[in-house]
Amino acid sequence: MAATISPVVGSLVWVEDSEEAWLDGEIVEVKGEEIKVLCTSGKTVVVKTSNAYPKDPEAPPCGVDDMTKLAYLHEPGVLDNLRSRYDINEIYTYTGNILIAVNPFMRLPHLYDSHMMQQYKGAAFGELSPHPFAVADAAYRLMINDGVSQAILVSGESGAGKTESTKLLMRYLAYMGGRAVAEGRTVEQQVLESNPVLEAFGNAKTVRNNNSSRFGKFVEIQFDQSGRISGAAIRTYLLERSRVCQVSNPERNYHCFYMLCAAPPEDVQKYKLGHPRTFHYLNQSDCYELDGVDDSEEYKATRKAMDIVGISTDEQDAIFRVVAAVLHLGNIEFAKGKEADSSTPKDEKSWFHLKTVAELLMCDVKALEDSLCKRVIVTRDETITKWLDPEAAAVSRDALAKVVYSRLFDWLVDKINNSIGQDPNSKVLIGVLDIYGFESFKTNSFEQFCINLTNEKLQQHFNQHVFKMEQEEYTKEEIDWSYIDFVDNQDILDLIEKKPGGIIALLDEACMFPRSTHETFAQRLYQTFKNHQRFSKPKLSRTDFTIGHYAGDVTYQTELFLDKNKDYVVAEHQALLCASTCSFVSGLFSSLLEDSAKSSKFSSIGSRFKLQLQQLLETLSHTEPHYIRCVKPNNVLKPAIFENKNVLQQLRCGGVMEAIRISCAGYPTRKPFAEFVDRFGLLAPEVLDGSTDEVNACKRLLEKVALEGYQIGKTKVFLRAGQMAELDTRRIEVLGRSASIIQGKVRSYLSRRSYAKLRLSAIRIQSALRGQLARHVYDGLRREASCLMIQRHLRMYLARKAYQDLYFSAVSIQTGIRGLTARNELRFRRQTKAAIIIQSHSRKLLARLHYTRTKKAAVTTQCAWRGRVARLELRKLKMAARETGALQAAKNKLEKQVEELTWRLQLEKRMRADLEEAKTQENEKLKSALQEMQVQFKETKVMFEKEREAARRAEEKVPIIQEVPVVDHVMMEKLTNENEKLKALVNSLEKKIDETEKKYEEASKISEERLKQALDAESKIVQLKTTMQRIQEKFSDIESENEALRLQSLQSTPVKKASDHPCIPPIPSTPDTQRFENGHHTGEEDGANELQSATPVKKFGTEADSKLRRSVVERQHESVDALINCVVKNIGFSQGKPVAAFTIYKCLLQWKSFEAERTSVFDRLIQMIGSEIENQDNNDHMAYWLSNTSALLFLLQRSLKAAGTISQRKPPTSLFGRMTMGFRSSPSSANLPAPALDVVRQVEAKYPALLFKQQLTAYVEKIYGILRDNLKKELSSLLSLCIQAPRTAKGVLRSGKSFGKDSPASHWQSIIDSLSTFLSTLKENFVPPVLVKEIYTQTFSYINVQLFNSLLLRRECCTFSNGEYVKSGLAELELWCCQAKEEYAGSSWDELKHIRQAVGFLVIHQKYRISYDEITNDLCPILSVQQLYRICTLYFDDNYNTRSVSPDVISSMRVLMTEDSNNAVSNSFLLDDNSSIPFSVEDLSTSLQEKDFTDVKPADELLENPAFEFLHE
């Protein structure tokens, strides 16, 4: 696997490290065979050249999804690639067709939802990102296409996620081939539901995993010929029986023991249990509980799972009785008995547990004691009973516990298989093997020996498969591979299982001799295999031995090998349990009796396990294998921790490194021609001159560099190990020389540019400095002159200002005093006047509002009360309407009540109008009185002002020296009294106005309530009307039934019935009255009256009348046939409207089919439309019928209204009838344009017409969906080509040509052409624009979903150049939307928002400078965190090698994703396509309401038919 490198200073290499396994660095010094490397961690090391591995400088920072694409396929490269992908939550990676799954120890729900399964369905292996779904899909496709059974082998150490990967595989297989069974549970559901049961009894906590499977499991999923799951079976291997009796600290025993101890109190008391620390089999370890696991809840969940898989309650009780018996059995201790070498239960506690075991197993206590303390030896002559010493009795006790538990586990597996059921007719299956991985601990016993034997066997199978894949690859590329050696581990398998002389054979031989011990067994191994290169003896041990496995050396301790290998049931134990009164316990050992009767040969665990392993490998040999290697990144079981040494050891144990060694034995480096020329074309640029052939260019290039040992395939260049490093070394030398030349030129250019800039800067600084000095001198002179001028003007200004201030102060004081007096007087007058005006208006407004509300509330209250009374009456009427005889009376009573309610409503309206009028008059009176008082107040105020003015004038006339004024006290008192009266009057008026306002507000509230009640009453009237209509319909049905009964009674009379239509009256002789409704004649009012009063004989008429009626019916059928034969042809359009739809509507309207109770016309039309749209691939034909059906649906929507009553011959005369007609008036009729009223008119529709409308709506939606899906199907193949830019070689030839042959715009142009052609088809058939708009909106949404999902699932699409390619294609789509105009394109462009924002992000330069807020707020606001994280981690720049976003942004996204994964149910980053119908009949009707059908010309073929003369109208 080592690649010989030519050390060059500056080269990147990997060096081995004791702590981190491998460190990357740069060579800084070369000294012969030693190199000095500066690691990226800052550490400097000196290593030999042979111990260094080259590092690819062009490896993408996020790793590659298939490690066969690595330039250097070696340990450090593989490890670095896995770590790089794990850091960005890419936990799956391919190595060829092998999937490596690294346990993330966190929830990633977006990777496993239904959207993801849908994406992988049918996708080619390797096309999308690595995933277990891809492995399952590949297995399923091979099984279906080739008819060969498949096997998926899931391996890894404890805690690596094998069980979870198995569940994912089961989910996907269920998604692809699931089928429900009779009991309502599918086979795959039963298999998945059996997991909790098997985990409870077969899983335990180990040092490395809290839920480690201590058994192997092979799930066979059987399929029928159609690829549906038809059955399943679960095979288990090597349950770790010794764990029942021996547990190491800090591990735990099997989960079921702890669950039972944490069971509800009644169960604990029933089984006489307690805390786990009180039982010997559990207290050998200090660990009793698991973090985050509630054993009591797990007990309930296990019980529930047992119910689901079909284990009855009695069987469950028996199972847990056996589990409890095993726990009690471990607490039985033994002491020396009275006789020599005998034993007996030690104390009362041991006797208690002995009796409890006997009680739980339902066996005899004495027999149980004897089976534990004695042995019966049967000879030819006699039977000898031998006592066992305490140690032997304890061994016998543990043996009983182990055999009971193992038989219980086997019974559970058999029960689950019987519950699931197997398909004996199945020819193919998919097996999922969940097997333990390679184990190497400090103490390795017999279980590790068997587990590692399994992994050696599977590794050999794996190596053969990998070598086979290599052969297929070389054969496919047509290169010579005959000299490549195959790496095999057959020598280890022979060492372990060869007969005779293998380790297992020697172990069985030692178990057959009673005196054999582990020391003698170890010495036998040392003697037998002392010269074997894979076997060795540790120096400091006498009984241990070491085997050199493919994954490393493992030292085994032989102390318990013999005990654990013995697979026998003590005869006393077997007899005891078979004699149990519990049928469940005795049934566990029934098969043992049969086995012992069939064969008496020695049996061992090792031999049985080897046999099971052979059967498993035989099954696998008949299947096509697929491999999933699970890896545990750390031992602390926490996310975001990647331990290099731990992962590397698991890769070795999982055989990944073996696969790499096999690849390295041949041609580990395989580069497509274009990539090879792109990378190494600079080594010999002359080979690219004028050449367009990539193969010849590669050959000439390799010949030019004098490389040997390579091979040229059909599509790739195959290089031997080390040749890639040699080429890279030469490439680095060429790049180094080129870089030196470029650096010299750049430095020279930069120096010249720097000198020129410095010289120019100095000149500019000198000139600027001189100018600044001159300006400074000039500025000083100007300042001196300015100061003199300012001083002169300032002194003049100050003198003038002082005089003016003195002058204006005197004038201002005088003016201010006079103005203040005048303004105070004026302000007082204005305020008084304004207050009066405001008060008058506000009081008027409040009074009006109060009155209005009071009036409204009164009316509302009255209406509500009357509505309530009406509802009570309605309820009584409904109760009375249940009897048929009272229907007519209820109808009349309802009419009277509704009329009375209507009359009362009108009376209330009149009373409300009178009340409003009275209130208005009262308000007018109050206003007039208020105005009079205001006038009086003003007059009094004017008089008061006049008197004050007169008094002031009189004061002015008096000389100033007269100090005592003359005042008229009488006049003053009079004025004061009048003022007081006026104030009192004003106050009283204000109070009255306030009271009036309050009353008005109350009245308004009451009137509002009454108005609301009146509205409720109106709605109740409508409901009453509807109810009465239903009653009338029931009454009509009863009358028709009575009529039918009368007709049946008349059949026995001698009167001859001449017609099958008893309801057809005699046809009048005048042609003007000959109007038929699909064979049903409709006469005038007198004809109807005659029909009702006629006798049965007159009703049926004569035989001639019957013949006449039959001829009319035949003519009617002929007319329908003629109509259908005409419209099935493409009769085109008239004035942009479909002729067929208009013709059908006119005929139905003329024949009055809408008003017929029974007719077959609608069924004929529906059958005709259904047969016409069977050819779903013809878009032109489908568009024609979409246009016709939508137009016909529009006409029906405008014309039909549900018939509420029996067809009436004369307009209603009663009040109720007039109200009903008013209520039934269609509001949509007001929107019809005036010219269309002659064509579209409303009719009373019966049930057949309404059903026809519903069926027609369904056909419109169906045809719409067919056209939309046809367009999607046409675009789907093109979209897969548009998501990735056609590859062109980076090394452009000097002639100006490149190796790329695809036109980048051809695929996008095909999409544009498809959209334009489809739009032209829709326009030619005059499909309504609303439907066209919805079709393209959903199609563009589909384009957005397909492009965006492909972008997230394929790493090669998340590149800079691919973003530019897709962006150019989106620009073409935008241009098409603009050309198609808003009428047809609508919001289609907005549907591409996800892919537009994603592509916009890909083509942005310097992404590492963008913050997370800028991405989420400005660049990609609509994308979720999961989607952004996926794009950022998959992105790489294949043009300029620029970086993606900064690590801080990636960390922020990862934190948010972790938070979201804990809160949300599903965090899928994929989009889902919406295939719903986005429009309703109302939307279609609204969009077509402007259509005028008056100018539509009917079909010419029907115009010539005399039966269709009405079309000329």
Side-chain angles (χ1 to χ4, degrees), residues 720-740:
R720 301 285 290 180
Q723 292 181 339
M724 187 71 177
E726 183 179 348
L727 290 175
D728 269 339
T729 301
R730 298 185 183 184
R731 181 172 177 268
I732 291 173
E733 292 176 354
V734 174
L735 290 175
R737 290 194 298 267
S738 301
S740 299

Side-chain angles (χ1 to χ4, degrees), residues 89 213 259 287 300-301 386 478 502 596 646 719 729 738 762 929 1030 1035 1081 1111 1132 1158 1164 1216 1275 1499 1505:
N89 282 343
S213 299
M259 292 179 188
C287 180
K300 297 177 183 177
K386 176 185 176 183
E478 298 180 357
S596 61
N646 184 25
L719 301 178
T729 301
S738 301
R1030 294 174 180 172
F1035 186 75
H1081 179 78
S1111 64
R1158 297 177 183 175
R1164 296 280 304 279
F1216 174 75
L1275 296 179
N1505 193 329

Side-chain angles (χ1 to χ4, degrees), residues 161-232:
K162 301 187 298 296
T163 303
E164 291 300 321
S165 298
T166 303
K167 292 178 181 178
L168 293 176
L169 296 172
M170 294 290 296
R171 277 187 57 201
Y172 189 84
L173 294 176
Y175 172 77
M176 295 296 295
R179 179 172 62 187
V181 296
E183 298 179 1
R185 291 182 294 118
T186 58
V187 172
E188 64 277 1
Q189 284 176 337
Q190 296 180 71
V191 174
L192 292 175
E193 288 162 354
S194 67
N195 280 330
V197 180
L198 294 179
E199 288 180 0
F201 290 86
N203 287 26
K205 178 191 181 303
T206 62
V207 178
R208 297 183 178 180
N209 186 11
N210 290 342
N211 188 31
S212 175
S213 299
R214 306 315 299 164
F215 65 99
K217 180 173 65 175
F218 185 67
V219 181
E220 297 178 357
I221 304 175
Q222 300 163 346
F223 293 83
D224 56 18
Q225 295 180 353
S226 61
R228 313 299 290 180
I229 296 177
S230 58

Side-chain angles (χ1 to χ4, degrees), residues 243-247 253 257-258 276 279-285 325-331 394 397-399 401-402:
R243 182 173 290 270
V244 177
C245 305
Q246 298 171 352
V247 182
N253 213 318
F257 295 121
Y258 302 92
F279 295 99
H280 172 66
Y281 286 164
L282 305 182
N283 60 18
Q284 300 174 36
S285 170
V326 172
L327 288 178
H328 287 289
L329 194 62
N331 282 9
R397 174 202 66 192
D398 293 341
K402 289 188 288 186

Side-chain angles (χ1 to χ4, degrees), residues 1040-1058:
S1040 61
E1041 291 176 1
N1042 293 335
E1043 184 68 23
L1045 291 173
R1046 285 197 299 270
L1047 293 176
Q1048 292 176 2
S1049 63
L1050 290 173
Q1051 290 178 357
S1052 59
T1053 61
V1055 180
K1056 185 177 181 180
K1057 278 73 176 177

Side-chain angles (χ1 to χ4, degrees), residues 53-108:
Y53 292 83
K55 179 183 178 182
D56 184 11
E58 296 186 2
C62 299
V64 296
D65 55 4
D66 190 347
M67 288 192 287
T68 58
K69 299 178 182 178
L70 291 174
Y72 302 107
L73 192 61
H74 46 51
E75 272 191 8
V78 169
L79 188 65
D80 179 66
N81 188 72
L82 289 177
R83 182 178 59 243
S84 300
R85 291 179 61 79
Y86 183 76
D87 290 340
I88 61 173
N89 282 343
E90 291 291 336
I91 61 175
Y92 297 114
T93 308
Y94 288 135
T95 301
N97 59 352
I98 305 166
L99 179 67
I100 299 177
V102 185
N103 195 338
F105 294 116
M106 61 184 295
R107 294 175 65 245
L108 298 174

Side-chain angles (χ1 to χ4, degrees), residues 17 107 270 299 389 439 493 910 971 1412:
D17 183 72
R107 294 175 65 245
K270 179 170 64 174
Y299 175 78
D389 59 13
E439 292 186 354
L493 297 176
R910 294 195 194 97
M971 182 60 68
Y1412 175 74

